[in-house]
Amino acid sequence: MKKIAVISIILAVLFFIVYFIYTRGNEYHDPRGSAYAGSLTCLKCHSDLYKSYLHTAHYIASSPASLKTVHGSFAPGVNVFEMNDTNKVVMEKRDGEVYQTYYQNGKIKESERFDIVLGGVKGESYLYWKGNGLNQLPVSWFSKQDKWLLSPRYDPRYVDFSRTIKSRCFECHASYIGDQSYEAQRLNDAEQFDKSSIVYSIDCERCHGPGAQHVDFQTNNPGVKTARYIMLFSSLPRARRLDMCGVCHSGNKSQMLQSTFWFKPGDTLARFKLPDFEVAVDTGKLDVHGNQLQLLESSKCFINSNMDCATCHDTHQNQRGNTAMFTQKCLSCHSTDNHNYCKMANTENALFIKSNCIQCHMPALPSRVIISPNSDTTLSADIFVHTHHIAIYPQEVKKVLAYLGK
């Protein structure tokens, strides 16, 4: 009996050792450090918000490339971008993976795999690993045109696979990517990354701060319904709320002081990048990477109120194209009792006017910054971006009046 008891104790000890090793080995270790829990931990308590967030532009800002995440067509004939009579890039599927292949006079000159997808609303651009560095693929998918076209700012005369990508791109398209050692950077004369460190998408902790302490507390204290050890956007003063959005929506012209990967809610943006004092109300150069924050701050609506980005945008929801919802945001301040109410709203088409505020005051204007020239001169190269400078745009008003037959 003693032998059986001893054996049982030994087996029990071995079981717990194995169990401990297994469970510890399968714990999630966030590349950003132990203070981070990973966004999947949010799903347990915030499933509705989490599932809604999966459809937002922030979530699809980056993802691993696959046949599910690359949305451009691979159908024969449609999967070709013709540079000229002798050069073309073909999007190809091979063994469950996808490639861009450059053909010159029918012969393969270079072929690289889709590894990372950036964006997904107006279009998608793609990166491939070159060792531990990243390069951009020369052809992107544009949703409005429903076509493969040259990636932004590419010269239409050349097929170029050599454009290197730096971590600055990931600071607004992902939640984190770590660099390799300084020695690795020096030897390769280009930024080298730790492939295993990528945290795709703009995740929950990018905007709410590190969540491990919050998760531990709420898990161990389920009766406490007030969130602890996590930052709520609404709890920040206005300036810090604007700084939070300005991390990615204040343009790329100003000098960076340190990586915004380490920006946490409540931080001051000026510690990470120098202010861009140029208030660019020139909407002729609109860009998805542009200075939406400065455009908003130059608007009378902003100056004469306490509004911020969240006044109109709920980052947990896909609000793209929801004109009626955005109109209601306008009408929440500009009512019929307000002398600033739209002067056109008393026309016989009042219902149409009242439901299309942003069409006149925040119009979607063409940007040729996002898309490159291409060899197809019959193709409209316009990508439309809503300006965040809220104002009266006479040309847009004329379009609305023309539509109404005025």
Side-chain angles (χ1 to χ4, degrees):
M1 293 293 292
K2 288 183 179 179
K3 288 183 179 180
I4 294 174
V6 171
I7 292 172
S8 298
I9 292 171
I10 292 172
L11 289 174
V13 171
L14 288 172
F15 171 79
F16 282 111
I17 290 173
V18 172
Y19 177 78
F20 177 80
I21 293 173
Y22 176 79
T23 53
R24 293 292 294 179
N26 283 276
E27 286 182 358
Y28 173 74
H29 298 284
D30 196 286
R32 294 166 288 188
S34 59
Y36 291 82
S39 286
L40 280 176
T41 59
C42 305
L43 182 60
K44 180 180 178 181
C45 297
H46 306 286
S47 60
D48 289 343
L49 277 179
Y50 188 90
K51 291 174 183 176
S52 173
Y53 185 69
L54 298 182
H55 303 285
T56 65
H58 284 112
Y59 180 80
I60 61 176
S62 62
S63 60
S66 70
L67 286 169
K68 291 184 178 179
T69 58
V70 176
H71 295 98
S73 176
F74 288 85
V78 183
N79 65 334
V80 179
F81 179 74
E82 301 275 358
M83 298 288 293
N84 49 50
D85 292 340
T86 58
N87 297 295
K88 64 181 180 181
V89 178
V90 182
M91 277 42 73
E92 301 175 334
K93 292 190 287 186
R94 301 183 211 151
D95 301 322
E97 296 180 327
V98 285
Y99 293 80
Q100 286 192 14
T101 303
Y102 167 33
Y103 289 88
Q104 186 177 66
N105 293 316
K107 295 181 179 180
I108 295 177
K109 300 293 289 184
E110 186 166 359
S111 186
E112 303 293 352
R113 185 178 63 189
F114 290 72
D115 287 321
I116 295 174
V117 181
L118 298 183
V121 177
K122 300 182 186 305
E124 299 170 351
S125 202
Y126 311 100
L127 313 180
Y128 74 93
W129 286 106
K130 187 174 182 180
N132 291 307
L134 280 165
N135 285 12
Q136 186 174 16
L137 291 171
V139 176
S140 296
W141 175 261
F142 287 87
S143 303
K144 175 180 178 287
Q145 284 81 3
D146 198 27
K147 280 182 176 288
W148 296 102
L149 296 170
L150 274 180
S151 296
R153 305 294 183 90
Y154 269 70
D155 190 321
R157 297 171 296 173
Y158 307 102
V159 178
D160 183 9
F161 285 84
S162 66
R163 179 189 282 178
T164 58
I165 296 297
K166 298 182 179 180
S167 57
R168 177 65 185 138
C169 298
F170 282 88
E171 288 176 9
C172 288
H173 275 280
S175 291
Y176 184 71
I177 188 171
D179 282 335
Q180 289 195 337
S181 67
Y182 171 78
E183 184 65 16
Q185 316 289 345
R186 187 184 66 80
L187 290 174
N188 290 276
D189 196 30
E191 195 163 7
Q192 302 291 293
F193 302 103
D194 175 1
K195 293 182 180 181
S196 65
S197 71
I198 301 179
V199 180
Y200 289 101
S201 304
I202 303 302
D203 72 353
C204 307
E205 290 173 288
R206 192 77 195 273
C207 296
H208 292 286
Q213 190 176 5
H214 167 71
V215 171
D216 287 344
F217 178 85
Q218 303 296 158
T219 300
N220 295 320
N221 300 274
V224 179
K225 301 304 180 184
T226 302
R228 303 279 183 86
Y229 307 112
I230 201 74
M231 186 62 73
L232 299 179
F233 185 84
S234 58
S235 70
L236 296 170
R238 186 194 195 193
R240 300 291 79 78
R241 296 197 299 269
L242 293 168
D243 279 349
M244 168 65 69
C245 299
V247 167
C248 292
H249 297 286
S250 61
N252 285 322
K253 292 182 180 179
S254 53
Q255 180 182 341
M256 299 302 301
L257 302 175
Q258 59 176 312
S259 172
T260 54
F261 280 139
W262 306 117
F263 181 101
K264 296 180 179 63
D267 281 343
T268 302
L269 184 58
R271 291 179 54 240
F272 293 81
K273 59 185 295 191
L274 294 177
D276 180 4
F277 294 106
E278 177 187 355
V279 180
V281 294
D282 179 6
T283 55
K285 295 182 180 179
L286 287 172
D287 183 7
V288 288
H289 301 114
N291 50 356
Q292 291 97 323
L293 179 59
Q294 291 91 328
L295 288 167
L296 177 65
E297 290 176 333
S298 68
S299 308
K300 286 185 178 180
C301 283
F302 179 90
I303 295 168
N304 296 324
S305 74
N306 195 40
M307 73 181 297
D308 58 45
C309 306
T311 301
C312 299
H313 295 285
D314 180 348
T315 55
H316 296 108
Q317 306 288 332
N318 174 11
Q319 299 174 322
R320 294 189 295 276
N322 194 342
T323 304
M325 182 275 298
F326 286 116
T327 293
Q328 288 307 308
K329 299 289 186 181
C330 300
L331 295 179
S332 65
C333 291
H334 299 280
S335 66
T336 52
D337 299 326
N338 190 315
H339 70 280
N340 291 323
Y341 189 64
C342 177
K343 296 176 182 178
M344 293 174 59
N346 294 320
T347 68
E348 60 187 81
N349 294 292
L351 184 61
F352 177 86
I353 297 295
K354 291 178 182 179
S355 62
N356 287 276
C357 300
I358 63 171
Q359 189 166 331
C360 284
H361 299 289
M362 296 181 69
L365 301 173
S367 169
R368 295 180 182 269
V369 178
I370 303 170
I371 196 167
S372 292
N374 59 84
S375 57
D376 185 352
T377 56
T378 66
L379 179 68
S380 170
D382 289 339
I383 295 289
F384 287 84
V385 179
H386 275 283
T387 177
H388 278 67
H389 178 67
I390 308 168
I392 297 173
Y393 292 83
Q395 289 302 116
E396 299 305 313
V397 174
K398 287 179 182 178
K399 291 178 185 178
V400 171
L401 293 174
Y403 175 80
L404 296 174
K406 294 292 184 180

